[in-house]
């Protein structure tokens, strides 16, 4: 991330560790008096400047006066409108820059906030604002980077609680599933009932400090083979699967609910815990895979030149003829054909492009965010599927195609090692296509 602007700010005196002015040296008593004046100022005007908020970064975590200021700041921020919040964030970013110039960081500030009642929830909401305004408020990018590092540790998957949702779960939780479903929209109460039915599974991850806030929803269907059509999985009129014959668990939707946790990995092997729970509940299961979108496929394809597309589709580096379609025209053709009857040549060309895309890396990580998540959890790209999601969203994002990622418990570490070596784990079928 680019470094924030360097802004010089006056340093407020460090707050004392004891709070009885009568027993303190003169300079400590003076600092305590300053903190009291700042506190009164904040109570009148909840937009303190950089110098006023600096004690939040400098004072020790046990400092009573600084912790009182932290409560005031959080209360004022939560009650503020957008304009006032941006001003408060700007002052905080300026104070953080001055702290970094002294060789200190912002960890103490965020730990102070986290120690407050409901502090972790507040920090998640604060980071959502940082992400929203990172290009509008100077210095917020540096502030966000430090907070992201702490949230990654505080939200490690090993600290989270996994709960199953059913039709009998609290209505407030089921409503959140409807609101936050980000992959395949829940269109009705019948649709919701179908997704939490007894022949399906829906799990949610919770943090112990936010017990009423589901962080991630994982939706699972059972099938006799690896699924290749999400419309069939979502069909509320389809007969229920025979659990005695179902050997595959298909993860068809994974949705994060908190904007402030964007980019937080929750640690590796998030789905491994779900698989372990599934094996406890349905021991006849043998295989575990996803049916996943490729949300960046069409955008990536639309930016390719005709020459680049030709090299992938034809496996040839020869010069393309004048008027050959570029990536944008290919994307339109593939999306249009997904709902029709394409030629075998066109269908295979689309699958080649999709296979190439899911193995494309940037800075050592998969370009596609869903591929990055699953490969980062130890899965491998197993198969690309034509016309697997012909919804409006599926056509807009990935020309109707989807990909299966395979989770083999004894190969998760091996796949992670391959990814770390710059070799995205993929099946022979996908490697041959690409």
């Amino acid at each position: 991330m680019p470094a924030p602007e360097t802004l010089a700010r006056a340093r407020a005196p460090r707050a004392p560790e004891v709070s009885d002015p009568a027993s303190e040296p003169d300079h400590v008593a003076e600092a305590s008096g300053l903190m009291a004046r700042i506190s009164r100022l904040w109570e009148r005007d909840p937009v303190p400047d950089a110098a006023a908020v600096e004690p939040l970064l400098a004072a020790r975590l046990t400092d009573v006066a600084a912790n009182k200021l932290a409560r005031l700041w959080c209360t004022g921020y939560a009650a503020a409108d957008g304009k006032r919040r941006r001003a408060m964030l700007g002052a905080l970013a300026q104070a953080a820059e001055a702290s970094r110039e002294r060789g200190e960081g912002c960890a103490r500030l965020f730990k102070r906030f986290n120690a407050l009642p409901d502090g972790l929830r507040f920090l998640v909401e604060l980071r959502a604002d940082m992400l929203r305004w990172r290009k509008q408020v100077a210095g917020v990018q540096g502030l966000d980077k430090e907070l992201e590092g702490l949230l990654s540790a505080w939200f490690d998957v090993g600290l989270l609680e996994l709960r199953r949702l059913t039709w009998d779960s609290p209505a407030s939780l089921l409503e959140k599933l409807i609101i936050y479903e980000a992959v395949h929209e829940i269109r009705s109460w019948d649709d919701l009932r179908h997704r939490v039915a007894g022949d399906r599974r829906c799990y949610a991850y919770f943090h112990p400090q936010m017990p009423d806030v589901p962080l991630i929803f994982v939706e699972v269907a059972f099938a006799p083979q690896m699924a290749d059509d999400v419309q069939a999985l979502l069909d509320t009129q389809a007969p229920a699967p025979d659990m005695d014959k179902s050997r595959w668990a298909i993860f068809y939707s994974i949705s994060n609910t908190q904007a402030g946790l964007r980019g937080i990995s929750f640690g590796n092997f998030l789905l491994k815990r779900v698989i372990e729970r599934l094996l406890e509940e349905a021991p006849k299961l043998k295989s575990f895979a996803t049916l996943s979108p490729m949300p960046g496929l069409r955008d990536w394809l639309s930016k390719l030149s005709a020459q680049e597309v030709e090299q992938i589709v034809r496996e040839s580096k020869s010069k393309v003829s004048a008027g050959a379609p570029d990536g944008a025209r290919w994307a339109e053709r593939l999306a249009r054909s997904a709902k029709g009857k394409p030629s075998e040549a066109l269908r295979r060309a689309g699958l080649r492009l999709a296979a190439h895309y899911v193995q494309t890396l940037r800075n050592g990580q998969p370009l596609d965010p869903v591929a990055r998540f699953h490969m980062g959890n130890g899965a491998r790209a197993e198969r690309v599927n034509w016309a697997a999601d012909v919804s409006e969203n599926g056509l807009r994002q990935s020309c109707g195609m989807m990909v299966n990622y395979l989770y083999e418990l004894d190969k998760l570490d091996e796949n992670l090692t391959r990814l770390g070596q710059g070799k995205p784990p993929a099946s022979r079928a996908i490697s041959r296509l690409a």
Side-chain angles (χ1 to χ4, degrees):
M1 295 183 181
E5 293 183 27
T6 302
L7 299 173
R9 288 292 182 269
R11 182 179 181 182
R14 181 182 295 273
E17 292 194 58
V18 291
S19 57
D20 182 6
S23 62
E24 296 167 345
D26 291 344
H27 71 280
V28 175
E30 181 182 353
S32 181
L34 176 61
M35 294 286 274
R37 289 195 297 275
I38 290 175
S39 177
R40 290 194 295 272
L41 174 64
W42 286 17
E43 289 171 347
R44 294 195 303 271
D45 180 8
V47 189
D49 61 17
V53 301
E54 194 168 336
L56 299 180
L57 291 90
R60 293 184 178 181
L61 292 175
T62 54
D63 190 288
V64 175
N67 292 338
K68 179 183 178 182
L69 291 184
R71 286 194 296 273
L72 286 171
W73 196 93
C74 292
T75 300
Y77 189 89
D81 58 16
K83 182 178 180 181
R84 192 174 291 260
R85 285 189 174 193
R86 284 194 296 271
M88 294 177 74
L89 263 182
L92 203 62
Q94 293 170 15
E97 177 59 27
S99 177
R100 281 190 288 269
E101 289 178 352
R102 298 192 301 270
E104 302 170 356
C106 303
R108 189 176 293 169
L109 166 72
F110 297 130
K111 290 178 180 178
R112 193 185 309 281
F113 285 166
N114 187 37
L116 298 174
D118 243 4
L120 189 61
R121 190 191 307 250
F122 173 80
L123 284 173
V124 172
E125 295 173 356
L126 180 68
R127 184 166 185 264
D129 285 346
M130 290 181 183
L131 293 172
R132 183 181 303 116
W133 297 319
R134 59 185 303 167
K135 295 183 179 179
Q136 301 175 30
V137 181
V140 164
Q141 293 185 24
L143 203 63
D144 169 56
K145 186 175 182 179
E146 294 197 54
L147 180 54
E148 180 182 3
L150 287 171
L151 290 177
S152 293
W154 292 336
F155 281 93
D156 183 272
V157 70
L159 302 175
L160 305 183
E161 177 190 359
L162 184 65
R163 300 184 211 162
R164 180 182 170 190
L165 274 65
T166 70
W167 188 245
D168 294 324
S169 295
S172 59
L173 279 182
L174 296 177
E175 288 173 356
K176 286 184 174 70
L177 177 58
I178 295 174
I179 293 169
Y180 290 115
E181 166 58 65
V183 184
H184 305 294
E185 179 185 358
I186 297 176
R187 299 181 179 277
S188 66
W189 286 106
D190 284 342
D191 189 0
L192 174 63
R193 185 192 292 268
H194 180 59
R195 299 198 195 195
V196 297
D199 57 2
R200 300 223 164 190
R201 293 295 184 271
C202 179
Y203 299 102
Y205 274 104
F206 295 81
H207 193 282
Q209 290 180 243
M210 301 168 61
D212 60 335
V213 180
L215 306 175
I216 306 171
F217 289 111
V218 180
E219 297 173 59
V220 188
F222 301 118
Q225 65 278 318
M226 188 165 62
D228 61 0
D229 184 344
V230 79
Q231 285 88 201
L233 288 182
L234 297 175
D235 184 1
T236 59
Q237 302 303 314
D242 186 339
M243 295 298 293
D244 286 332
K245 296 181 180 179
S246 294
R247 296 294 181 267
W248 285 80
I250 307 297
F251 305 103
Y252 63 91
S253 181
I254 302 173
S255 300
N256 294 329
T257 71
Q258 302 301 303
L261 295 178
R262 192 173 75 203
I264 307 298
S265 70
F266 295 97
N268 290 330
F269 307 141
L270 181 143
L271 286 185
K272 184 179 178 182
R273 286 185 61 190
V274 177
I275 291 172
E276 291 170 347
R277 176 71 65 86
L278 286 169
L279 287 172
E280 293 174 2
E281 299 177 4
K284 290 186 178 181
L285 293 172
K286 300 297 182 184
S287 302
F288 305 87
T290 75
L291 183 57
S292 298
M294 294 177 278
L297 173 62
R298 186 162 182 172
D299 182 63
W300 166 82
L301 177 57
S302 296
K303 295 175 182 177
L304 297 184
S305 66
Q307 180 76 37
E308 290 170 322
V309 173
E310 200 71 12
Q311 289 178 8
I312 298 170
V313 172
R314 312 294 182 196
E315 298 182 287
S316 171
K317 295 185 179 181
S318 59
K319 187 175 181 180
V320 299
S321 59
D326 60 10
R329 289 170 61 189
W330 267 98
E332 292 177 6
R333 179 188 298 178
L334 292 173
R336 186 170 58 249
S337 300
K339 299 188 73 170
K341 295 182 178 179
S343 67
E344 181 58 27
L346 180 62
R347 177 179 171 278
R348 186 165 181 80
L351 294 176
R352 277 189 180 278
L353 289 162
H356 186 90
Y357 170 69
V358 298
Q359 295 180 89
T360 299
L361 301 181
R362 176 185 291 168
N363 299 324
Q365 293 295 317
L367 178 62
D368 183 76
V370 176
R372 192 157 57 244
F373 172 83
H374 288 298
M375 291 183 183
N377 273 274
R380 86 173 181 219
E382 187 68 11
R383 185 177 70 189
V384 287
N385 303 288
W386 175 263
D389 181 6
V390 294
S391 67
E392 180 180 345
N393 190 52
L395 295 173
R396 182 177 64 251
Q397 291 188 336
S398 56
C399 306
M401 290 179 282
M402 301 186 78
V403 59
N404 300 113
Y405 294 98
L406 183 66
Y407 279 82
E408 296 177 293
L409 294 183
D410 59 348
K411 293 186 178 180
L412 298 180
D413 286 315
E414 177 185 332
N415 290 336
L416 275 175
T417 298
R418 285 178 53 82
L419 182 61
Q421 295 171 343
K423 302 173 183 177
S427 67
R428 291 183 180 178
I430 283 188
S431 297
R432 284 198 299 267
L433 275 173

